[in-house]
């Protein structure tokens, strides 16, 4: 009985720790995105890759919520749609050669 209680508490602590780690990671990504956007600009590849990472995380969260029968937050959903439009424009301009070389990493050239 004592071992089961210990394992149950350990699992709860691990879940709490994982949730806290994910929240910290998301906060750091958001701060890095804000910094990239303010320092490098909205059209820089770094900013757009950070935005893609944040959008991926949001879409995963929406999917998980909907699988549980919950409705995603409409404000967050609207922000994700705006992000997707911005990323689409960046990808379209990149594909059509309309992105300045300073906004593209050398690996992609």
């Amino acid at each position: 009985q004592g071992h089961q209680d210990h394992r149950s508490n350990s699992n709860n602590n691990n879940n709490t720790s994982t949730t806290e780690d994910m929240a910290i990671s998301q906060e750091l990504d958001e701060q890095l995105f804000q910094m990239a956007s303010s320092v490098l600009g909205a059209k820089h590849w770094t900013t757009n890759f950070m935005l893609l990472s944040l959008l991926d995380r949001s879409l995963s969260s929406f999917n998980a919520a909907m699988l549980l029968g919950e409705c995603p937050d409409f404000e967050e959903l609207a922000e994700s749609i705006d992000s997707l439009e911005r990323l689409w424009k960046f990808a379209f301009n990149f594909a059509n050669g309309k992105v300045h070389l300073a906004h593209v990493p050398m690996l992609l050239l």
Side-chain angles (χ1 to χ4, degrees), residues 48 86-97 99:
N48 284 284
R86 187 167 144 189
L87 286 166
W88 186 264
K89 286 178 188 175
F90 178 79
F92 179 81
N93 288 336
F94 177 75
N96 291 307
V99 175

Side-chain angles (χ1 to χ4, degrees), residues 92-106:
F92 179 81
N93 288 336
F94 177 75
N96 291 307
K98 295 180 182 178
V99 175
H100 190 275
L101 291 180
H103 296 155
V104 180
M106 294 303 289

Side-chain angles (χ1 to χ4, degrees), residues 5-88:
D5 290 339
H6 177 69
R7 274 187 261 154
S8 176
N9 287 339
S10 177
N11 286 340
N12 287 339
N13 289 340
N14 287 341
N15 290 340
T16 302
S17 177
T18 302
T19 303
E20 289 173 0
D21 290 347
M22 288 174 55
I24 291 169
S25 176
Q26 182 172 352
E27 179 66 27
L28 286 173
D29 283 352
E30 289 172 1
Q31 289 177 5
L32 287 172
F33 169 72
Q34 292 299 325
M35 184 174 63
S37 182
S38 63
V39 173
L40 301 170
K43 294 183 179 181
H44 196 274
W45 66 271
T46 304
T47 305
N48 284 284
F49 275 92
M50 289 301 305
L51 183 59
L52 180 61
S53 175
L54 292 173
L55 180 62
D56 180 57
R57 183 174 283 153
S58 294
L59 293 176
S60 295
S61 174
F62 297 152
N63 184 46
M66 289 189 296
L67 287 174
L68 296 173
E70 300 170 6
C71 188
D73 180 60
F74 287 113
E75 186 176 319
E76 290 180 20
L77 191 57
E79 288 176 11
S80 294
I81 291 168
D82 289 341
S83 296
L84 181 59
E85 288 176 346
R86 187 167 144 189
L87 286 166
W88 186 264

